[in-house]
Amino acid sequence: GMFGQYVPAAHIDKMINKSSKVALSGEQKELTVLFSDIRSFTSISENLSAVELKTLLNEYFTPITEIIFNHDGTIDKYVGDMVMAFWGAPLDDESHRENALLAALKMLEETARLRKVFKKKGLPEIAIGVGLNTGVMNVGDMGSTYRRAYTVLGDAVNLGSRLESLTKFYGIDLLVGPKTCEGLDHFVFRHIDRLQVKGKDEPVDVFQPLGLRKQLNPLTLDILKDYHKARNLYLMQDWQTAQVEFEKLVNLEPQCRLYLIYLERIAGHLNKGVGTDWDGTYRHTSK
């Protein structure tokens, strides 16, 4: 009964049939976690009545939860406008990376559909940011004697949350960590940055999934190739050539904030230079 609120009904049947293989008390294993929230939700909520806000959230959460369930995910919690989910527990899932990624992409599609629906109803148009990360996490039924929840904890979980927050900085709706990309060669990823998040010493490479390779048009793949060329020139410290290449990309996609970020960095490096230990890592000073 408790898990009916967190996982698909089919999961419940499997858990009952394979109860000896389901660890609820706590275990450590590799999982994929998802964080998603509505952009500018505070501003949106301030301009809605309590009834309108409830209507908006219910109409948003219902299809989003269905997508997560349809891709074998487990709902961890809702906090305001935030959804947290994970894949790979309570039942093992060898495809937890792919299932989580497919769910995230579908969530973005559904949000685009809901924007039109909300507009017709006089509700604010919404956009979301999504962060995915894969790694070893602690998972189990945790809490107090008064209230408990089946949840995940660990550094890999924290990074997933940070990636969701960073979608706003890069102007990208979906960011994933490096382990999430492993073994998913049938997807296409754009290498966004090598970054160091606040509170962590080790840098991490982050990526933007563009979709299934077979579904992308040739122009998208050509632009991606040009972007990676420009970024490699940037990493080689060939600032002038990298600048020219990023300016070409801006002319093709002027709405892409990522290109402007790299042009801003190049301008700074041309002005101040970089140290001998520079490896392209960008250090974020806020969460």
Side-chain angles (χ1 to χ4, degrees), residues 67-284:
I67 288 169
I68 292 170
F69 281 2
N70 287 344
H71 291 84
D72 294 335
T74 298
I75 296 292
D76 188 303
K77 60 178 68 75
Y78 307 105
V79 180
D81 62 309
M82 187 272 284
V83 182
M84 178 182 174
F86 55 89
W87 280 257
L91 292 175
D92 292 337
D93 181 3
E94 293 182 358
S95 301
H96 59 87
R97 294 180 181 86
E98 180 172 14
N99 287 333
L101 183 50
L102 287 171
L105 292 170
K106 191 67 177 177
M107 287 168 63
L108 295 175
E109 290 180 15
E110 178 62 18
T111 302
R113 186 191 71 81
L114 286 173
R115 271 198 293 273
K116 299 176 183 178
V117 173
F118 288 172
K119 184 177 182 180
K120 290 180 179 178
K121 293 184 176 183
L123 293 171
E125 299 178 48
I126 62 171
I128 64 172
V130 183
L132 280 182
N133 192 48
T134 302
V136 176
M137 307 171 192
N138 294 302
V139 58
D141 184 30
M142 305 176 197
S144 68
T145 55
Y146 297 99
R147 186 183 178 103
R148 304 179 70 82
Y150 189 70
T151 189
V152 288
L153 299 170
D155 283 344
V157 179
N158 297 336
L159 180 56
S161 177
R162 298 286 178 84
L163 292 179
E164 185 280 315
S165 297
L166 288 171
T167 58
K168 294 185 281 288
F169 175 84
Y170 291 101
I172 289 169
D173 49 20
L174 173 58
L175 287 175
V176 306
K179 275 190 163 294
T180 305
C181 304
E182 290 180 3
L184 298 182
D185 296 336
H186 50 303
F187 286 87
V188 174
F189 297 91
R190 175 160 61 171
H191 193 167
I192 296 301
D193 208 353
R194 181 173 175 81
L195 56 88
Q196 183 179 343
V197 298
K198 185 177 182 181
K200 299 295 180 185
D201 296 327
E202 293 298 320
V204 61
D205 292 294
V206 299
F207 301 84
Q208 177 192 16
L210 298 182
L212 289 163
R213 188 176 299 275
K214 64 182 181 181
Q215 295 178 351
L216 296 179
N217 64 59
L219 178 58
T220 299
L221 295 174
D222 287 343
I223 293 175
L224 178 65
K225 182 179 178 181
D226 291 341
Y227 163 76
H228 282 142
K229 174 186 175 183
R231 188 172 180 278
N232 286 336
L233 288 166
Y234 170 82
L235 294 174
M236 292 166 57
Q237 301 182 37
D238 187 350
W239 310 127
Q240 284 88 357
T241 310
Q243 185 178 42
V244 170
E245 294 300 321
F246 275 114
E247 287 172 347
K248 291 179 182 177
L249 288 166
V250 169
N251 289 331
L252 288 172
E253 296 181 303
Q255 78 285 356
C256 183
R257 173 168 165 71
L258 181 63
Y259 306 149
L260 299 177
I261 288 174
Y262 274 102
L263 284 171
E264 289 172 6
R265 293 181 188 178
I266 289 169
H269 298 331
L270 283 169
N271 184 38
K272 299 179 181 178
V274 296
T276 55
D277 61 343
W278 185 84
D279 63 355
T281 298
Y282 182 81
R283 290 165 179 81
H284 286 270

